[in-house]
Amino acid sequence: MRDYEAGFRLKEALVNLVFPRRCPVCDAVVPLGEGLICRQCVSKPQYITEPRCRRCGKQLREGEQEFCADCLRRRHVFDYGYALYDYQSMKKSIYRFKYGRRCEYAAFYAQDLYRRLSHELRLMEADAIIPVPIHRSRYRRRGYNQAELVAAELSRLTGIPMYERLVTRSRKTAPQKELTIQERQNNLKKAFNISTNVVKLNKTILIDDIYTTGSTLDAVALELKRHGVGAVYFIALCIGEGM
Ligand SMILES: [Zn+2]
Ligand SMILES: [Zn+2]
């Protein structure tokens, strides 16, 4: 074991004494040494598998071709991306992660992403991992950006540097949930800013928690491409059917 890893394990063990790690599915305390998810829950997350939409990564039914109905109707700015979980199977988990201070789930999600999408990640040949930002007032209230926690872990696992300050959310947007697609797009106009124009990035991966219509990812991708980024991919934790 490398020193770095040993140190990391030790730190993890100490942190675990004070803040016991909780299972990302059932939220019970996971005994030290059992890993990041409890034994009873290992088979509970439902993963998106092939065939999936070549653009947004949504689960397709057998026989469906290449793109989902949404992506056939609407062009996206991002190039393509993947989601790991079916939303229904992990929505409570994501909710606690986002609003319930369960920051430790990020390690599990990232490890799971890295394991299940390692081939896809390699093919992207990205030179940057960029978390989708939240507005700073939201950041202050929540104390963290859930996408950034996952991005940081994934960056550590893949060795691809994270640029967490490159994109900022300049406008506070209304919750997307209650809006139509058209309203979502208007809602997001000029919501994102690139903080510097000196970075020469070619291929980037955006990290988000939930893929709904892709409007948020498109808005960030648009800004990045306007600043010269060649390709914008994404990885989302979960995606649903007909979201
Ligand atoms: Zn569990
Ligand atoms: Zn699609």
Side-chain angles (χ1 to χ4, degrees):
M1 201 186 292
R2 283 176 291 155
D3 278 1
Y4 165 76
E5 250 174 71
F8 186 75
R9 294 261 164 85
L10 176 66
K11 196 177 119 209
E12 209 169 46
L14 290 173
V15 168
N16 219 54
L17 282 176
V18 191
F19 304 104
R21 183 177 279 287
R22 289 178 179 273
C23 169
V25 177
C26 71
D27 204 41
V29 170
V30 183
L32 193 60
E34 207 170 280
L36 303 179
I37 181 170
C38 82
R39 282 197 194 113
Q40 287 85 344
C41 292
V42 171
S43 62
K44 288 186 182 161
Q46 300 288 306
Y47 296 95
I48 304 291
T49 53
E50 293 293 339
R52 46 181 133 209
C53 174
R54 291 282 150 261
R55 187 77 61 203
C56 74
K58 205 172 290 160
Q59 184 77 66
L60 297 180
R61 291 188 191 85
E62 275 316 322
E64 270 185 298
Q65 303 276 313
E66 290 194 307
F67 300 106
C68 73
D70 297 332
C71 291
L72 283 174
R73 262 198 309 269
R74 204 158 64 91
R75 269 196 73 81
H76 286 290
V77 183
F78 61 73
D79 290 79
Y80 67 84
Y82 298 94
L84 185 61
Y85 306 114
D86 169 70
Y87 176 68
Q88 289 303 325
S89 73
M90 290 298 273
K91 67 177 178 190
K92 288 183 182 149
S93 174
I94 302 289
Y95 188 88
R96 289 192 302 268
F97 176 54
K98 216 165 153 174
Y99 303 109
R101 306 199 160 271
R102 288 288 185 259
C103 298
E104 75 257 43
Y105 292 2
F108 169 76
Y109 298 145
Q111 207 178 74
D112 222 12
L113 280 174
Y114 183 58
R115 220 181 28 216
R116 304 220 170 223
L117 294 171
S118 61
H119 178 65
E120 289 78 2
L121 279 162
R122 255 200 313 277
L123 286 180
M124 288 174 180
E125 296 181 320
D127 41 19
I129 286 179
I130 302 171
V132 169
I134 56 176
H135 191 265
R136 64 176 183 279
S137 67
R138 196 162 287 172
Y139 189 98
R140 270 200 300 271
R141 198 160 5 108
R142 197 177 294 171
Y144 58 97
N145 170 6
Q146 68 282 357
E148 186 182 325
L149 298 181
V150 177
E153 291 285 340
L154 196 63
S155 167
R156 193 171 65 79
L157 292 167
T158 57
I160 304 168
M162 173 173 75
Y163 290 79
E164 74 275 26
R165 291 198 180 86
L166 185 66
V167 187
T168 52
R169 202 155 189 149
S170 51
R171 224 157 50 83
K172 220 166 139 186
T173 49
Q176 295 275 88
K177 266 184 278 196
E178 295 103 51
L179 305 177
T180 64
I181 287 185
Q182 192 54 52
E183 286 169 335
R184 278 170 196 246
Q185 284 170 344
N186 289 337
N187 190 30
L188 287 165
K189 258 189 199 135
K190 302 204 182 75
F192 297 99
N193 271 103
I194 306 293
S195 58
T196 166
N197 52 14
V198 293
V199 190
K200 284 260 173 284
L201 297 174
N202 183 24
K203 297 174 175 178
T204 59
I205 304 174
L206 294 175
I207 305 290
D208 208 357
D209 50 2
I210 305 168
Y211 182 101
T212 45
T213 62
S215 305
T216 308
L217 292 162
D218 276 335
V220 180
L222 187 67
E223 283 308 311
L224 288 171
K225 290 192 172 187
R226 274 171 43 181
H227 284 77
V229 171
V232 181
Y233 310 114
F234 76 86
I235 300 275
L237 288 180
C238 54
I239 194 166
E241 219 179 305
M243 286 178 68

